[in-house]
Amino acid sequence: MSEQPETKVAPLTPVLSQTWDADRSWTLQSYLDSGGYAGLRSALSQEPGAIVETVKASGLRGRGGAGFPTGMKWGFLPPPDGGPRYLVVNADESEPGTCKDIPLMMASPQALVEGVAITSYAIGCRHAFVYVRGEVLHVYRRLLRAVEEAYEAGFLGTDVLGSGFDLDVTVHAGAGAYICGEETALLDSLEGLRGQPRLKPPFPAVAGLYARPTVVNNVESIASVPSIVAHGADWFTSMGTERSAGFGLFSLSGHVERPGQYEAPLGTTLRELLDMAGGVRGGKALKFWTPGGSSTPLFTAEHLDTPLDYESVAKAGSMLGTRALQIFDETVCVVRAVSRWTDFYAHESCGKCTPCREGTYWMKQVLHRIEAGQGTQGDLDLLLDTCDNILGRAFCALGDGATSPVTSSIQLFRDEYEAHITGGACPFDPAASALFEHTPRRTAPALTAGVH
């Protein structure tokens, strides 16, 4: 009798999410009961430069999408010149499918506040800002209360824990623009200007907020700092891979039995995560998925065993991004899904540059035409040509990201696009792909000028 091979299941690493199921986990007392602020106490007993070196040695890479080494980013700040320098936390989580920072701030806001205090001490910042997505009012209020509690307990304010270090933290609510997730557009918005990306150089490390040296980091990046300082760089590098160290929140959504946040080492696979999440809903077949949100090239079932680290995902032709794993089963029309995403990018384009402003608009029109069964064979070449005119030519990454689902879906599912064109209609029933029963709304006929 032959032995069956064991199914490998990636271990979960509850660090950021360790206290999420605690009673009133968002309170300061709950955070202290679980060992909170040990990292800040340790940091204040060291030289600021030592903290920067610890984060560099840990290999922590930015958790906001690009994966740039966090400690290296801090090291880009010029030497102190007597003027202010700032830390800005990017909490403007707005991309479709990305949903890790918001639950983190809801369940454990003090982890972010402690990370802000440690990072500010390390880089010489005396005033830090957290820029929160404006629509999530409940998160904004919870973070405000967390900051108030930290002030009351002496973790923020004048002479933090008797160290002589002063720090103020401002929580700022944006006005709901996806473009403000781009760091320089965020800085302009924070200054009261229209949220549009800046020309670089100069980079924020040299001339950021109020034209002063500034570090801009994602929520998860900053919230990871306290545990690194408390436990050491070797502890952090013991998880993950050689070049993608540590743990991360993987957000599983869509057609999965148990959607949610799965905190695991970088390098885990979707197959392992799906095993823990109960698999694709109803035992259906996996059709396609996003490894890093809607702005990353699509993957299929062929990529189930691709390690979810920066290098492996890039080698396979996509980007790890924010680890927003959107799962789509066989009932989903890929043209419809990509069309909906493109609607979002066309709506959120700030309009500063022509390739993105015009390109996303035309992609939206063409995709609507194909989805309605009114497309032509030439429309596929038109879509790809439009993507070529956006990619690498847009002012910021929004335009580049908008092309990713379009080009990858045509590459992987060209026959499905052609079926819409040759069949004169979408071959899928949209109600079948819904997560719950509903009656699709009828599309109103287009109004024509002069018709009464």
Side-chain angles (χ1 to χ4, degrees), residues 42-43 46-56 74 118 121-122 229:
S42 174
Q46 305 176 46
E47 290 296 319
I51 306 301
V52 176
E53 290 306 315
T54 297
V55 175
K56 283 183 179 179
W74 297 359
I118 295 172
Y121 174 73
V229 174

Side-chain angles (χ1 to χ4, degrees), residues 7-356:
T7 301
K8 180 186 177 185
V9 178
L12 294 176
T13 52
V15 178
L16 294 174
S17 60
Q18 184 176 11
T19 62
W20 287 12
D21 60 348
D23 182 43
R24 296 176 60 83
S25 65
W26 56 88
T27 63
L28 175 60
Q29 188 57 54
S30 178
Y31 188 64
L32 291 174
D33 290 344
S34 64
Y37 285 97
L40 178 60
R41 295 181 189 278
S42 174
L44 293 175
S45 67
Q46 305 176 46
E47 290 296 319
I51 306 301
V52 176
E53 290 306 315
T54 297
V55 175
K56 283 183 179 179
S58 74
L60 173 66
R61 296 175 65 169
R63 300 308 199 225
F68 193 83
T70 302
M72 185 182 297
K73 196 173 192 179
W74 297 359
F76 287 157
L77 292 177
D81 60 0
R85 50 181 58 200
Y86 300 105
L87 167 67
V88 176
V89 179
N90 186 344
D92 188 64
E93 187 173 55
S94 306
E95 179 164 325
T98 301
C99 50
K100 62 183 180 63
D101 295 338
I102 285 173
L104 193 160
M105 290 185 287
M106 278 296 289
S108 186
Q110 292 293 346
L112 175 60
V113 176
E114 183 182 8
V116 166
I118 295 172
T119 304
S120 298
Y121 174 73
I123 66 173
C125 164
R126 298 293 182 268
H127 193 169
F129 296 81
V130 182
Y131 187 103
V132 184
R133 178 181 175 185
E135 296 95 328
V136 288
L137 185 59
H138 54 302
V139 177
Y140 175 65
R141 288 170 172 165
R142 180 151 293 177
L143 199 54
L144 280 176
R145 180 57 190 148
V147 168
E148 287 176 356
E149 285 190 298
Y151 268 105
E152 292 166 1
F155 297 120
L156 298 177
T158 304
D159 193 21
V160 173
L161 297 179
S163 65
F165 171 62
D166 302 335
L167 176 64
D168 287 315
V169 173
T170 297
V171 181
H172 177 88
Y178 169 66
I179 188 62
C180 289
E182 196 278 334
E183 63 178 12
T184 61
L186 185 157
L187 295 176
D188 267 15
S189 175
L190 198 52
E191 292 179 4
L193 305 173
R194 172 183 284 186
Q196 289 189 324
R198 300 175 180 176
L199 184 65
K200 294 183 286 189
F203 291 91
V206 176
L209 185 64
Y210 309 128
R212 293 297 303 169
T214 304
V215 166
V216 184
N217 277 138
N218 170 260
V219 168
E220 190 184 353
S221 307
I222 295 298
S224 299
V225 169
S227 58
I228 292 173
V229 174
H231 301 295
D234 291 342
W235 166 82
F236 191 77
T237 57
S238 70
M239 296 172 279
T241 66
E242 183 179 353
R243 296 181 61 189
S244 297
F247 47 82
L249 294 169
F250 293 84
S251 309
L252 269 69
S253 63
H255 294 149
V256 59
E257 290 289 352
R258 291 191 295 273
Q261 308 297 329
Y262 291 81
E263 190 174 6
L266 297 187
T268 188
T269 67
L270 179 61
R271 187 184 300 278
E272 293 167 334
L273 292 170
L274 278 177
D275 284 343
M276 291 183 278
V280 179
R281 64 154 187 180
K284 290 184 169 63
L286 173 65
K287 184 173 181 178
F288 64 96
W289 56 287
T290 64
S294 60
S295 63
T296 57
L298 304 181
F299 274 171
T300 65
E302 296 179 4
H303 302 94
L304 273 169
D305 296 310
T306 300
L308 294 175
D309 60 68
Y310 295 100
E311 290 72 35
S312 299
V313 173
K315 185 177 179 181
S318 189
M319 295 178 289
L320 187 60
T322 54
R323 283 155 284 116
L325 310 177
Q326 299 173 93
I327 311 301
F328 298 88
D329 68 20
E330 58 196 319
T331 65
V332 178
C333 170
V334 70
V335 180
R336 180 180 175 85
V338 172
S339 179
R340 293 290 296 274
W341 284 330
T342 305
D343 287 350
F344 171 83
Y345 290 113
H347 181 270
E348 295 297 330
S349 174
C350 75
K352 183 166 186 172
C353 71
T354 302
C356 179

Side-chain angles (χ1 to χ4, degrees), residues 412-428:
L412 295 168
F413 299 100
R414 190 181 185 99
D415 57 340
E416 195 166 304
Y417 278 88
E418 291 175 344
H420 283 72
I421 295 167
T422 58
C426 176
F428 291 85

